[in-house]
Amino acid sequence: MILVVAEQHDGKLNRASLEAIAGAQELLTAAGASAGPITVVVAGNGASRVAGDLAAADVGGVLTADADGLSDYTPDAWVQAIRQVIDQTSPQYVIFPHTYQTRDYAPALAATIDRALITDVIGVKQVGGAAAFSRPMFQGKLTADVAPVGDAPFLITFQIGAFRADAMKRGASAAAVSQANVTIDAAAIRQKPEAPFQEAKQAVDLSQAERIVAVGRGIKTQENIPIAEKLAKAFGAELAASRPICDNGWLPMERQIGSSGQTVAPKLYVALGISGAIQHLVGMKGARIIVAINKDAEAPIFEVADYGIQGDIFEIAPALVAELEKS
Amino acid sequence: MKIAVCIKQVPTREWQPRLNADKTWIREQDVSYEMNEPDAYALEESLRLREKHGGEVVVCSAGPTRVQQVIREALARGADRAIHVEDAALGAADAYAAAAALAPAMAEEQFDLILTGLQSDDQGHAQFGPVLATRLNVPHSTIIMEVLVDGQSLRVKRELEGGWFQHIAMPLPALLTIQSGINQLRYATLKGIMAAKKKEIKKVATPGAVASRQKVLALYAPTKSKQTTMIGGSPAEAAKELVKRLREEARVL
Ligand SMILES: Cc1cc2nc3c(=O)[nH]c(=O)nc-3n(C[C@H](O)[C@H](O)[C@H](O)COP(=O)(O)OP(=O)(O)OC[C@H]3O[C@@H](n4cnc5c(N)ncnc54)[C@H](O)[C@@H]3O)c2cc1C
Ligand SMILES: Nc1ncnc2c1ncn2[C@@H]1O[C@H](COP(=O)(O)O)[C@@H](O)[C@H]1O
């Protein structure tokens, strides 16, 4: 069977869980029906509140794992909980969405049970009768098809957005929901988490912008930022940035686009000297029209771009400003 | 405080990938290397902690002879000494194998705090830190943006998705995976580079054979999800054509 580990916070389902179920359904096709059925497990105090949403999927069943010690997420508690569910269900594959929470405990879980973990998977195929998993390598410059080594279960995390939640097959009737029997040794939980918080009130809400010009490390120095600023102005666009620009303090954090910044869906997104790492793409690939300007024709940003110019920012940006100011 | 910082050598950002004959790995002879970016931030954080709390910073790296380049660089930036688990087979090893290779030598040292990068820019597993922590039986936390040490306890700021954060406390010894941008980097000085020449790099053999937990069956250029219209010509011509298309074809201006 295939075990999908869903994620919830305070009784709210993380949508990436549905993507993981959609991916597991595809895996079932690649690995053959004998790899089924799919069981979804969701852990934590809010688990029972999201079980209904999960049971709507075309899966064999939903398990809720709730116990003392699972009220707030900690890696130590989650390793204990999911390990027990794996022991009880003996899956062939354990599937996770590649969220920050999964990144935090899935590798520790894999090491604890001494099994293979393949992360950030974007596709599933069949190679020589067995399932193989495609994942980006070298900052998205290459894709690798990889096979897990060793004994099952194989742990797999699916990249956010790689499978679509709305492509998830729904069941004819709701799947059965039951409780997994887990007990947590509270004394073995070493992390003490505090409540999540946001740094500062977001003064700029880029999610409402119609046009965005985003600048990346191709701009080279802080002194060059006005070049991007001028282009944004000429487009009538908000200025945004990739993470390294904000890390360096060249633009404020609140203008960062991506998994740790804002998610935007403007009509027009112009990526200026941005390579197109997945953590950036998840924040902007919903844009209607994407323009990429990059000196490297092989940069991954061109994989999502509608229009591309292979060229130097310092030549292209001023030429665009001149053209836009003409009319 | 005895601090370890795990540093991986990875291909430079400018490197253009070329594949080996059977298309399962890159052609290593074409590659120039640099320090994995988040690891540079982990190193900087360890140096700042040493400045505040005293102690030493030990660079730990697993890889072929070539990784001495980044070890030397870390020593030049201020680390005190290094442990190099050396094996040609470690060049393409996954996070599981790298952690297995480093764990015994690192266990012996009994570090108070271990810092790693959150993800390698080459293989990108985002696994090594939590796997090593499990092997060494110390608590861990990931994607860390602030580290506060107070006696035997640790308080960290962990990054969550979408601009959220969370504080987490845990006892030492512990392992943290560091996110880029946690601090502002310092670069090596000439004095540092000279001093590094005299610092110790302890070479350790791998404990047994290097066994990765995943096998690369094929490596290839990514498939495009969109049909991209590439616009050529001089900068002025390209600008003219793009603006025309954005107005008339895409209608977004
Ligand atoms: C957990 C996690 C969360 C992250 N969150 C985010 C996030 O929210 N947002 C984000 O952006 N990143 C995030 N990152 C970082 C991400 O992985 C990349 O490192 C980052 O997006 C790279 O930024 P960049 O494209 O500006 O820089 P680079 O990758 O260095 O790319 C620079 C590009 O500029 C081009 N270039 C250079 N010179 C020129 C020139 N003269 N003219 C034209 N082009 C030029 C180069 O060809 C290259 O493609 C995160 C990473 C992790 C691990
Ligand atoms: N061979 C290695 N030697 C030293 N540190 C490593 C090695 N491989 C991975 N790491 C560390 O683990 C982090 C995450 O790597 P990965 O799990 O491959 O994404 C890196 O940022 C490094 O700090």
Side-chain angles (χ1 to χ4, degrees):
Chain A
M1 59 145 305
I2 299 174
L3 183 67
V4 178
V5 184
E7 183 174 319
Q8 61 85 28
H9 297 273
D10 294 330
K12 261 194 74 192
L13 187 67
N14 185 329
R15 293 270 305 165
S17 308
L18 304 180
E19 298 175 10
I21 296 173
Q25 289 171 338
E26 243 176 75
L27 172 60
L28 197 53
T29 315
S34 61
I38 297 170
T39 298
V40 183
V41 63
V42 58
N45 277 175
S48 56
R49 282 186 273 158
V50 300
D53 288 352
L54 295 167
D58 184 15
V59 295
V62 175
L63 290 171
T64 56
D66 191 2
D68 287 343
L70 294 177
S71 54
D72 294 310
Y73 165 77
T74 58
D76 282 349
W78 256 244
V79 168
Q80 286 189 45
I82 305 303
R83 183 188 183 172
Q84 289 170 43
V85 175
I86 290 173
D87 285 346
Q88 289 160 17
T89 54
S90 308
Q92 178 80 5
Y93 295 98
V94 186
I95 308 294
F96 307 80
H98 193 60
T99 59
Y100 282 30
Q101 181 167 307
T102 296
R103 284 166 167 270
D104 197 50
Y105 79 95
L109 172 64
T112 304
I113 63 172
D114 199 17
R115 290 295 182 269
L117 166 62
I118 300 176
T119 54
D120 215 16
V121 167
I122 53 174
V124 181
K125 350 176 135 157
Q126 209 185 39
V127 178
F133 301 90
S134 308
R135 63 186 299 274
M137 274 207 193
F138 302 99
Q139 295 269 297
K141 286 176 182 161
L142 294 170
T143 304
D145 291 343
V146 301
V149 172
D151 293 329
F154 307 120
L155 283 61
I156 311 289
T157 78
F158 285 140
Q159 183 178 96
I160 309 297
F163 298 92
R164 297 170 55 103
D166 56 20
M168 182 192 80
K169 282 182 261 165
R170 301 173 73 85
S173 57
V177 177
S178 49
Q179 282 175 9
N181 184 16
V182 297
T183 48
I184 303 301
D185 174 6
I189 303 174
R190 297 162 294 184
Q191 301 88 359
K192 305 267 172 291
E194 297 170 27
F197 64 94
Q198 259 182 319
E199 200 82 296
K201 234 178 141 38
Q202 305 269 356
V204 224
D205 182 8
L206 295 175
S207 67
Q208 299 306 315
E210 287 216 339
R211 297 182 203 92
I212 290 176
V213 170
V215 58
R217 190 146 39 186
I219 199 77
K220 297 211 168 57
T221 64
Q222 183 164 22
E223 289 66 48
N224 291 334
I225 294 287
I227 296 174
E229 243 158 13
K230 275 196 202 113
L231 184 62
K233 192 153 171 269
F235 267 119
E238 284 280 358
L239 184 62
S242 67
R243 177 163 184 135
I245 301 299
C246 303
D247 280 349
N248 286 332
W250 299 351
L251 283 174
M253 276 298 199
E254 57 196 21
R255 294 199 177 263
Q256 178 179 313
I257 304 296
S259 59
S260 48
Q262 298 202 41
T263 301
V264 296
K267 280 202 303 201
L268 174 67
Y269 191 93
V270 182
L272 203 58
I274 291 178
S275 63
I278 178 62
Q279 294 86 5
H280 187 80
L281 299 187
V282 295
M284 46 65 80
K285 55 181 185 190
R288 187 150 78 74
I289 296 291
I290 297 171
V291 175
I293 299 165
N294 198 304
K295 67 170 185 193
D296 175 10
E298 306 297 324
I301 190 74
F302 287 119
E303 285 155 37
V304 299
D306 299 279
Y307 299 101
I309 298 179
Q310 182 196 354
D312 189 331
I313 291 177
F314 306 106
E315 295 176 3
I316 305 295
L320 273 170
V321 172
E323 183 64 30
L324 287 161
E325 282 174 352
K326 265 187 204 162
S327 39
Chain B
M1 201 162 57
K2 199 167 161 182
I3 309 169
V5 55
C6 295
I7 293 182
K8 187 173 193 191
Q9 188 198 38
V10 298
T12 58
R13 295 188 161 270
E14 290 70 39
W15 164 75
Q16 299 283 340
R18 287 185 60 192
L19 300 178
N20 69 0
D22 64 1
K23 298 197 164 47
T24 56
W25 198 240
I26 56 172
R27 253 176 66 111
E28 293 212 0
Q29 55 271 46
D30 301 328
V31 182
S32 55
Y33 291 96
E34 65 188 8
M35 190 182 297
N36 187 41
E37 185 170 49
D39 304 4
Y41 286 96
L43 170 65
E44 178 63 42
E45 199 59 25
S46 67
L47 297 174
R48 288 177 188 220
L49 288 167
R50 185 190 62 190
E51 278 158 18
K52 245 194 236 158
H53 304 280
E56 62 168 346
V57 171
V58 182
V59 176
C60 300
S61 189
T65 313
R66 61 171 160 80
V67 311
Q68 294 227 358
Q69 172 218 2
V70 292
I71 294 177
R72 286 275 170 223
E73 188 186 334
L75 294 174
R77 289 200 202 179
D80 297 288
R81 61 186 172 92
I83 297 172
H84 177 193
V85 176
E86 188 177 356
D87 194 320
L90 283 167
D94 68 359
Y96 176 92
L102 278 163
M106 291 185 69
E108 218 169 275
E109 292 272 352
Q110 307 242 329
F111 292 110
D112 298 304
L113 182 64
I114 300 171
L115 302 184
T116 76
L118 82 166
Q119 187 166 327
S120 55
D121 281 349
D122 56 354
Q123 298 201 29
H125 297 297
Q127 290 195 44
F128 174 95
V131 171
L132 183 64
T134 305
R135 284 186 169 263
L136 299 179
N137 194 22
V138 299
H140 75 273
S141 189
T142 56
I143 321 192
I144 299 305
M145 284 297 279
E146 192 179 292
V147 183
L148 294 168
V149 175
D150 182 9
Q152 272 313 100
S153 67
L154 185 63
R155 190 163 180 265
V156 299
K157 186 166 109 185
R158 173 168 174 249
E159 183 178 298
L160 305 174
E161 280 120 340
W164 288 78
F165 298 92
Q166 175 180 40
H167 284 115
I168 296 169
M170 76 196 87
L172 291 172
L175 182 147
L176 304 173
T177 81
I178 301 296
Q179 167 68 299
S180 293
I182 182 175
N183 49 41
Q184 294 295 317
L185 299 177
R186 81 187 71 183
Y187 291 95
T189 58
L190 191 59
K191 200 169 138 235
I193 294 167
M194 297 310 289
K197 297 207 167 111
K198 293 192 218 81
K199 291 178 180 171
E200 180 205 9
I201 302 178
K202 184 171 146 196
K203 289 196 187 176
V204 182
T206 43
V210 174
S212 288
R213 276 280 183 205
Q214 44 196 287
K215 182 170 190 277
V216 177
L217 306 172
L219 206 55
Y220 49 91
T223 34
K224 281 176 175 277
S225 68
K226 264 190 188 172
Q227 202 61 40
T228 308
T229 305
M230 291 303 287
I231 297 171
S234 70
E237 286 161 0
K240 188 165 183 203
E241 176 69 12
L242 176 64
V243 170
K244 182 164 173 263
R245 283 182 180 257
L246 291 178
R247 284 207 176 107
E248 293 167 14
E249 198 172 71
R251 297 173 179 276
V252 289
L253 290 183

